[in-house]
Amino acid sequence: MAPLEREFHRSFRGPLPTDEDAWRLVFDPTTTRLVVRHEWRTTRHSGVEELSVEEFLAQESGARESLIALLFDQVAINA
């Protein structure tokens, strides 16, 4: 079975409209891992990192607030 993914936050880095960050909650049913995947794209470089949910929640950010809102069905709080 393919991993289940849900995007919960997107932000723009600028200056180009395609320069952006995206955060997804990813569950891999094969390994039973739940992680936060951060992907970024700019004109100079792109990348992907995966964090445990615990590591991600320890960092203050608008993305963290969006995940909390998604998980607990609340309106996101601007950080």
Side-chain angles (χ1 to χ4, degrees), residues 10-35:
R10 183 173 291 265
S11 65
F12 298 95
R13 293 180 166 235
L16 299 177
T18 57
D19 294 348
E20 62 187 2
D21 289 272
W23 288 264
R24 291 179 178 80
L25 191 58
V26 180
F27 175 70
D28 185 340
T30 306
T31 63
T32 64
R33 283 186 64 216
L34 181 65
V35 297

Side-chain angles (χ1 to χ4, degrees), residues 48-67:
V48 176
E49 72 174 328
E50 288 188 350
L51 302 162
S52 71
V53 174
E54 182 180 14
E55 289 174 305
F56 179 75
L57 291 174
Q59 303 172 12
E60 290 189 30
S61 69
R64 181 186 79 168
E65 298 304 320
S66 293
L67 178 58

